[in-house]
Amino acid sequence: MLLTGLTASLAPVQAAQAATTSSSNKAKAKTTARKAKPAPRSPRKVAARAAVREVIPAKPSFGQMYGLHDTEDPLDLKSSVAYVVDQDTNEVLFSKNPSAVLPIASITKLMTALLVVEANQSMDEKLTISDDDKDTEKFTGSRLAVGTTLTRGELLHLALMSSENRAAHALGRSYPGGLEAFVAAMNAKARLLGMNDTHYVEPTGLSSRNQSSASDLAKLVKVAHSFPLLRELSTSPEYTVELGRRMVRFGTTNGLVRKSDWDIGLQKTGFINEAGQCLVMQAQLAGRKLIMVFLDSAGKYSRIGDAERVRKWLTGTTSPLAGATATAVSLTPAITAK
């Protein structure tokens, strides 16, 4: 009886303990379920996601496609095309693939500016950025919103110093006869200057069909340098214009104009993927006026680095300016971009 009574008295306790244990096990099961690692992903899904995250390589430049970067030179330049010539004597001091015809990007704007100045159009006339000035080639943006009104002189300044595409397009569009007449004038001027490897299709350089050679561009730089306004605007380090209710500062695309060890008389930079990094300059070194052209340089700062390498060489003990033999590296036959 005692055993029976004890068993009976323990039954409720055991039932409660069983219930507690059951609840505890369920809680542990839920916790375990929450901490459980997810099932392994399908190898195909993993590979697909990795492919999406993979960085797509930049589109190769024309110079890279034509193998121009395989051309070795004594200065180990990163530009596949380089050309240095004495402005006064036309003596070629350095030459690397000078006849290769490649896209020239915003170097195009130097011809645009030259035509605007030669046309004697008023620099005070106000021009308004329109939808026609938007980039339909590369779909780049601009700080010059549609409806912005600036003088022709201000647009010219921004086109040369900051490489503003809408500014350059508006300059071409406002030329007598319109944009079509302007492009025709660009090509006519190129023929007149003996730039026989040069062709333009628009005034900004966004199109890869704007093409030229280093030797041709040296001729353009020489003529452009004869205009004081182009010298002044292209070498300006910064410029502030009124855009609506705001004063907006624009800066140069060529940091060398800020450096005290450079005496630059005229410059223009350019870049699109097809052209690589480009730079043309007129600069005074070792008492001589020189024209430098660097095309299809690989790397964001490589065109600046190449200019510094050339300057160091020209002011060093092995410089042709000191009587040494000039270095010349040419590609034979010349590569022509189609």
Side-chain angles (χ1 to χ4, degrees):
M1 291 294 293
L2 180 61
L3 181 60
T4 304
L6 180 61
T7 303
S9 64
L10 290 177
V13 176
Q14 291 174 337
Q17 288 178 340
T20 302
T21 302
S22 177
S23 299
S24 176
N25 289 339
K26 288 181 180 180
K28 288 182 180 180
K30 289 182 179 180
T31 302
T32 304
R34 285 197 298 268
K35 293 183 178 180
K37 294 183 180 180
R41 295 178 181 175
S42 164
R44 289 185 179 180
K45 290 183 178 180
V46 172
R49 292 188 180 185
V52 171
R53 291 194 301 266
E54 183 180 357
V55 177
I56 300 176
K59 184 178 181 180
S61 68
F62 279 36
Q64 289 171 328
M65 290 190 292
Y66 297 148
L68 296 184
H69 282 273
D70 295 334
T71 304
E72 297 182 357
D73 68 81
L75 301 184
D76 192 27
L77 301 183
K78 306 307 177 185
S79 303
S80 69
V81 172
Y83 193 64
V84 182
V85 60
D86 186 294
Q87 182 178 346
D88 296 324
T89 67
N90 294 323
E91 177 188 1
V92 177
L93 303 175
F94 190 92
S95 177
K96 177 182 178 181
N97 299 325
S99 300
V101 180
L102 298 173
I104 57 174
S106 286
I107 306 299
T108 297
K109 294 183 177 71
L110 198 55
M111 177 62 85
T112 297
L114 177 61
L115 287 187
V116 170
V117 172
E118 286 191 334
N120 292 318
Q121 292 178 281
S122 172
M123 291 296 153
D124 296 323
E125 181 183 354
K126 292 185 177 181
L127 306 176
T128 300
I129 301 298
S130 73
D131 284 323
D132 292 336
D133 300 319
K134 288 183 177 180
D135 171 20
T136 57
E137 183 77 30
K138 299 289 191 294
F139 301 100
T140 57
S142 172
R143 298 166 75 184
L144 301 182
V146 172
T148 298
T149 298
L150 296 172
T151 66
R152 179 175 282 106
E154 288 173 324
L155 292 176
L156 183 62
H157 199 156
L158 296 181
L160 284 173
M161 182 193 72
S162 292
S163 208
E164 241 298 337
N165 292 314
R166 290 185 184 180
H169 194 275
L171 291 172
R173 180 173 51 80
S174 63
Y175 188 79
L179 190 60
E180 184 176 348
F182 187 78
V183 173
M186 293 174 77
N187 287 303
K189 186 65 177 180
R191 300 290 86 75
L192 185 64
L193 296 179
M195 299 170 63
N196 297 320
D197 292 324
T198 302
H199 181 68
Y200 299 102
V201 298
E202 50 84 29
T204 70
L206 287 166
S207 173
S208 61
R209 291 183 294 158
N210 286 355
Q211 300 182 1
S212 187
S213 64
S215 54
D216 272 12
L217 291 175
K219 298 174 183 177
L220 174 60
V221 171
K222 184 173 183 176
V223 173
H225 182 263
S226 66
F227 290 84
L229 182 61
L230 301 186
R231 296 200 301 268
E232 176 188 353
L233 300 186
S234 72
T235 58
S236 172
E238 61 181 53
Y239 184 54
T240 301
V241 296
E242 185 176 356
L243 300 182
R245 298 180 180 180
R246 298 180 301 127
M247 299 301 294
V248 180
R249 187 187 70 84
F250 289 77
T252 180
T253 56
N254 184 358
L256 292 179
V257 302
R258 301 178 185 272
K259 300 190 67 174
S260 59
D261 54 350
W262 278 91
D263 183 6
I264 300 174
L266 181 132
Q267 69 81 35
K268 187 69 196 76
T269 63
F271 170 77
I272 55 174
N273 285 331
E274 297 93 329
Q277 299 284 344
C278 303
L279 172 65
V280 298
M281 291 194 303
Q282 188 277 354
Q284 191 157 332
L285 290 175
R288 292 172 71 171
K289 296 177 181 178
L290 306 178
I291 294 173
M292 302 181 183
V293 180
F294 303 98
L295 301 180
D296 186 39
S297 190
K300 185 176 181 180
Y301 303 105
S302 54
R303 61 190 177 191
I304 301 299
D306 281 354
E308 292 284 13
R309 278 182 276 272
V310 168
R311 183 182 69 85
K312 183 178 180 180
W313 169 62
L314 289 175
T315 56
T317 56
T318 61
S319 168
L321 303 183
T325 304
T327 301
V329 180
S330 298
L331 184 68
T332 305
I335 298 295
T336 302
K338 300 297 184 182

